[in-house]
Amino acid sequence: MTGVYVGMPAFPTAARAATRNAQLRANLTRATHTIRDRRARAVAELEDWEGLRQAGKAIKDETLAHLDDYLLQLEAKVTEAGGTVHWARDADEANRIVTELIRATGGSDDQPHEVVKVKSMATQEIGLNEHLAAEGISAYETDLAELIVQLGDDLPSHILVPAIHKNRTEIRDIFRERMGEWGRPAPEGLTDTPADLAEAARLHLREKFLRAKVAVSGANFMVAETGTLVVLESEGNGRMCLTLPETLISVVGIEKIVPTWRDLEVFLQLLPRSSTAERMNPYTTMWTGTHEGDGPKQFHLVLLDNGRTQTLADEVGRQALRCIRCSACLNVCPVYERAGGHAYGSAYPGPIGAILTPQLRGTASELDASLPYASSLCGACFEACPVAIDIPEVLLHLRERVGREAKEHGGHRLERAAMKAATYAMTHPAVYRAAENAAVRARKLIPKKVPFGAGKAWTETRDLPELPEQTFRQWWKETHR
Amino acid sequence: MRIALFVTCVNDLAYPGTGIAAVRLLERLGVEVAFPEAQTCCGQMQYNTGYPSAAVPLAEKFGKDFAGFDAVVVPSGSCGAFIRDVHPKLVEGAVPPVYELTEYLIDVLGVEQVGAYFPHKVAYHPTCHSSRLLKVGDRPTRLLRAVEGLELVELPGAAECCGFGGTFSVKNPDVSAAMGADKVTHAVESGAEYLVAADNSCLMHIGGTARRSGAPIKTIHLAEILAATRETVNA
Ligand code: SF4
């Protein structure tokens, strides 16, 4: 991953600002609680939800275990159908490939290069829009929420609802102030009713759809047996991107593959119910190569690795690649709800971001090393995940990795020493008893506010319990011997 | 059946009342309880902070300390879940069956009515590890409903984490505090006098937050309610 989120502070620092932003917290709480209740109802409708969930997990695991075979099959099928497949090792390579493909479609000074985009996490991950902008190419997001984020010079903060942190009034203000700079301005007297906002976006976008020669998309699934790509969406703007322009470039993570059409049956149930709490999403678009007189004349598929094969090599961590980006884990996560999506510093916020980002990017930066700790391990994410990713398990696994890597660089010294000391005391009963007795004797010495370290973090907002006069062990001795 | 109490390190040092209540309750129900004095800690803190190897000696020690017992009773959902789910991954050899207190009462002893008396309004907070890892389900509320004089009220947002999370509470103090504050708000909204749970570490966080902000809610461990009788309440 590059560009977009570089230079972010570590999670606890970034989260602090969000916890103090009352408007942001109110927006987030309202939105996530509404969707989580609806999701719970949509899931409860199906008697065999757990069976479906296990099927989704099994299909993904099987696919990941033979990913190389399925990718080669996909490449062959896409090529057979008239498409071109490109392999991108990392973000730079993917960005370069896409830029060259766009340039190759022509364009001139009076008709500058521009592309329309259907919401895509993979292109956010690689910072494609920023890269294209630097190359003089304008990339227009066409998903309503993405459009809001783009017009507002903002970053997405949710997988499915990138502008979840904004309320209607804030959105109206962004439309009024910024739409004109990007194309058709907002209508006079725009109100903040959803219908008005949607209409303003529709008019604004329509001009871009009709003008654009190139579209860039991601995909929710790729079917190996036919070389078909699949996008699920709610607004229909995606379908416009996928059918109107002459050239379609799809940038997709290599893990998004399913072996057969039959496998889609499982995911087309799991995904909408988990993400938008719908039985079925309004638009499902599928495209296979190119067809004379119908849809794009050119189709390019850029298969993105960018840390995925290294994630695949980790036996515990690889389950993160099962993710179908439904965002159910975000909507139930109490930490995401308070910290907001930006604190996670990548295209993938919330619990999935906390386990996926440090695997894709590595844990060298302070931000990435702080992500596995951005969880109270409450387990709500695991419970909600439609492909049963054991997020708490991966978090613990990554904490160990961070600790191990820190040790190699001499970091986390105090913590490691404290853990070892605790284990030592607790495996030496005499030491343990002496420490306990000392603590109880000194109970009055524990200050109400500790000015530094972990004690400060605790006592800033909470009281520490006053220690009792007697430990349980002492009571037991007095009463039971 | 030889039953041992694993009181947990937090309870031993900071909340001995919970262990005492568990012993009194079980003895009142005719159970002979042993307390292997060599016991210390299950190692969860080390494990959950990312130092699994530091938890291994503690898992080994737990196995040794409790060898020969038919069952171990733990008044903590979190430690109970850790011993049951994680210890077998850390060390070889059989761990005696571990029961969280409410599981032991309902599943093994087969009692719901434990003869307790607690004339107060209480709200139950199903701590994450009790409900999601241990899956104690409605056992705690069944026991509470059977307590004489007790009025159980609903806790808004009950299933939400309180924000303790072990070292999370100091590594991410702002988010943890925000979660704790919301839990306290909900507890006050419930109209209860007491917020009850089966995990003192969560209660330490919630209670400490309530005390600092002066919120009118007290915290109490479930074992202490179940151990209370007319005599102790009036004493
Ligand atoms: S981790 Fe699971 S719940 Fe979260 S976005 Fe991915 S599939 Fe959905």
Side-chain angles (χ1 to χ4, degrees):
Chain A
M1 295 189 202
T2 51
V4 211
Y5 296 87
V6 163
M8 292 265 309
F11 184 85
T13 314
R16 179 176 310 142
T19 60
R20 293 178 186 173
N21 183 337
Q23 181 67 61
L24 172 72
R25 269 182 70 185
N27 293 354
L28 268 177
T29 299
R30 188 163 9 84
T32 56
H33 282 248
T34 310
I35 183 102
R36 82 165 71 154
D37 295 344
R38 284 175 41 211
R39 186 204 76 97
R41 282 199 296 277
V43 162
E45 271 184 6
L46 292 184
E47 266 167 41
D48 60 343
W49 181 257
E50 189 51 37
L52 268 178
R53 186 178 183 238
Q54 292 306 325
K57 172 182 187 231
I59 294 168
K60 282 278 181 181
D61 278 346
E62 202 277 333
T63 312
L64 290 170
H66 307 284
L67 193 59
D68 43 355
D69 295 336
Y70 289 121
L71 284 167
L72 291 174
Q73 190 187 359
L74 178 84
E75 181 182 37
K77 291 292 170 185
V78 170
T79 315
E80 227 173 80
T84 312
V85 175
H86 311 259
W87 299 80
R89 233 165 323 191
D90 55 20
D92 288 343
E93 206 166 34
N95 285 329
R96 203 167 53 237
I97 293 169
V98 176
T99 310
E100 280 165 15
L101 290 172
I102 296 171
R103 286 246 165 81
T105 61
S108 59
D109 284 349
D110 48 300
Q111 207 195 357
H113 285 289
E114 53 180 35
V115 300
V116 285
K117 283 187 69 201
V118 41
K119 175 181 174 319
S120 144
M121 309 244 37
T123 60
Q124 267 162 32
E125 176 187 322
I126 60 176
L128 179 67
N129 289 7
E130 290 73 11
H131 178 87
L132 292 179
E135 299 282 327
I137 299 169
S138 307
Y140 299 123
E141 294 292 347
T142 65
D143 172 83
L144 178 56
E146 283 291 342
L147 176 72
I148 296 163
V149 168
Q150 188 174 44
L151 292 176
D153 274 338
D154 201 351
L155 291 169
S157 71
H158 188 278
I159 289 181
L160 199 81
V161 200
I164 196 168
H165 55 292
K166 298 279 185 209
N167 63 23
R168 283 195 272 137
T169 323
E170 291 169 311
I171 293 167
R172 182 209 48 203
D173 293 345
I174 292 172
F175 277 12
R176 276 188 184 164
E177 283 159 32
R178 305 299 302 277
M179 257 183 181
E181 294 167 39
W182 287 79
R184 184 185 173 119
E188 281 295 313
L190 178 65
T191 74
D192 66 358
T193 61
D196 247 22
L197 295 174
E199 181 63 10
R202 207 173 66 87
L203 294 171
H204 178 84
L205 288 172
R206 170 137 311 189
E207 290 188 356
K208 289 176 177 167
F209 285 132
L210 293 175
R211 206 168 55 213
K213 298 262 180 294
V214 185
V216 175
S217 86
N220 293 97
F221 303 100
M222 305 185 285
V223 184
E225 70 176 346
T226 52
T228 302
L229 274 68
V230 185
V231 155
L232 278 60
E233 45 136 4
S234 299
E235 296 168 10
N237 293 337
R239 177 162 298 177
M240 304 274 263
C241 293
L242 297 163
T243 48
L244 281 179
E246 279 166 21
T247 301
L248 173 59
I249 305 167
S250 301
V251 183
V252 189
I254 52 173
E255 83 284 16
K256 293 258 159 160
I257 217 162
V258 294
T260 68
W261 275 74
R262 276 194 72 159
D263 300 316
L264 281 178
E265 182 227 333
V266 172
F267 297 106
L268 294 187
Q269 296 184 68
L270 285 176
L271 184 51
R273 284 184 199 259
S274 305
S275 57
T276 47
E278 292 167 307
R279 292 176 183 143
M280 195 183 165
N281 49 289
Y283 295 86
T284 302
T285 308
M286 302 176 167
W287 65 104
T288 312
T290 53
H291 303 268
E292 196 54 41
D294 183 20
K297 293 196 180 62
Q298 304 230 22
F299 170 57
H300 295 276
L301 172 59
V302 181
L303 289 170
L304 178 70
D305 185 328
N306 206 32
R308 284 161 176 77
T309 41
Q310 109 204 354
T311 304
L312 196 59
D314 185 309
E315 273 175 40
V316 179
R318 72 165 65 126
Q319 55 185 304
L321 296 178
R322 291 207 296 261
C323 177
I324 54 173
R325 314 274 189 266
C326 71
S327 74
C329 58
L330 278 67
N331 297 327
V332 297
C333 177
V335 174
Y336 172 83
E337 185 184 334
R338 273 84 182 183
H342 293 156
Y344 294 82
S346 90
Y348 308 106
I352 181 61
I355 60 166
L356 188 59
T357 307
Q359 296 199 81
L360 295 181
R361 294 201 295 220
T363 50
S365 81
E366 216 193 315
L367 169 65
D368 294 329
S370 73
L371 289 175
Y373 302 93
S375 166
S376 64
L377 303 178
C378 80
C381 48
F382 178 27
E383 200 173 61
C385 178
V387 285
I389 300 174
D390 191 340
I391 296 175
E393 181 188 25
V394 182
L395 287 166
L396 291 177
H397 177 69
L398 293 172
R399 286 178 188 188
E400 188 190 358
R401 169 172 160 184
V402 169
R404 200 174 51 236
E405 285 172 10
K407 187 176 173 186
E408 284 156 21
H409 305 106
H412 283 211
R413 281 228 299 281
L414 276 176
E415 182 174 288
R416 199 165 50 246
M419 294 298 155
K420 275 203 194 145
T423 299
Y424 179 82
M426 286 169 172
T427 44
H428 293 77
V431 179
Y432 179 64
R433 268 197 305 280
E436 263 204 341
N437 293 343
V440 172
R441 266 200 307 279
R443 53 194 273 265
K444 291 267 160 2
L445 293 181
I446 292 179
K448 270 227 163 341
K449 293 197 182 187
V450 181
F452 54 84
K456 175 172 189 289
W458 181 273
T459 57
E460 232 160 27
T461 57
R462 297 156 281 210
D463 284 355
L464 276 166
E466 219 168 87
L467 291 186
E469 281 166 33
Q470 206 182 26
T471 64
F472 174 84
R473 196 175 299 272
Q474 290 163 344
W475 173 84
W476 178 268
K477 256 187 206 151
E478 278 178 18
T479 55
H480 284 74
R481 278 212 307 218
Chain B
M1 205 172 179
R2 295 190 64 221
I3 304 305
L5 178 73
F6 175 56
V7 78
T8 84
C9 57
V10 168
N11 289 336
D12 181 20
L13 177 64
Y15 297 96
T18 295
I20 296 169
V23 172
R24 292 213 168 115
L25 170 67
L26 292 168
E27 289 180 347
R28 193 171 79 214
L29 295 171
V31 180
E32 198 184 317
V33 188
F35 177 74
E37 289 184 42
Q39 65 172 272
T40 53
C41 161
C42 65
Q44 187 182 183
M45 176 187 67
Q46 286 87 339
Y47 189 84
N48 284 359
T49 311
Y51 301 88
S53 59
V56 171
L58 292 166
E60 271 166 8
K61 180 169 158 40
F62 185 91
K64 273 192 215 119
D65 293 344
F66 290 91
F69 286 99
D70 300 313
V72 181
V73 178
V74 192
S76 157
S78 180
C79 304
F82 184 76
I83 299 163
R84 205 147 76 189
D85 296 347
V86 184
H87 276 194
K89 291 192 216 162
L90 298 178
V91 292
E92 308 238 319
V95 181
V98 173
Y99 297 95
E100 187 271 335
L101 181 63
T102 67
E103 292 176 325
Y104 184 74
L105 294 172
I106 290 192
D107 302 355
V108 181
L109 294 186
V111 289
E112 267 181 44
Q113 169 53 263
V114 296
Y117 174 70
F118 194 74
H120 298 283
K121 250 190 193 181
V122 307
Y124 172 68
H125 168 51
T127 59
C128 303
H129 288 184
S130 280
S131 59
R132 296 209 182 85
L133 294 184
L134 215 50
K135 306 212 185 303
V136 296
D138 63 354
R139 290 180 186 86
T141 46
R142 274 154 69 192
L143 288 158
L144 284 169
R145 288 215 170 84
V147 172
E148 203 192 327
L150 185 145
E151 187 191 342
L152 186 65
V153 298
E154 201 174 317
L155 177 69
E160 274 213 27
C161 177
C162 71
F164 171 64
T167 37
F168 173 76
S169 60
V170 291
K171 280 190 186 263
N172 277 288
D174 297 283
V175 177
S176 168
M179 289 162 73
D182 288 348
K183 184 57 75 179
V184 168
T185 305
H186 286 147
V188 172
E189 274 168 21
S190 77
E193 288 165 72
Y194 288 94
L195 184 72
V196 55
D199 258 301
N200 271 327
S201 38
C202 304
L203 290 175
M204 172 171 77
H205 167 67
I206 302 168
T209 305
R211 267 199 306 285
R212 177 62 61 82
S213 64
I217 185 85
K218 288 172 276 190
T219 49
I220 188 169
H221 192 283
L222 182 61
E224 295 180 54
I225 292 182
L226 299 182
T229 60
R230 278 189 191 274
E231 294 74 52
T232 57
V233 168
N234 295 328

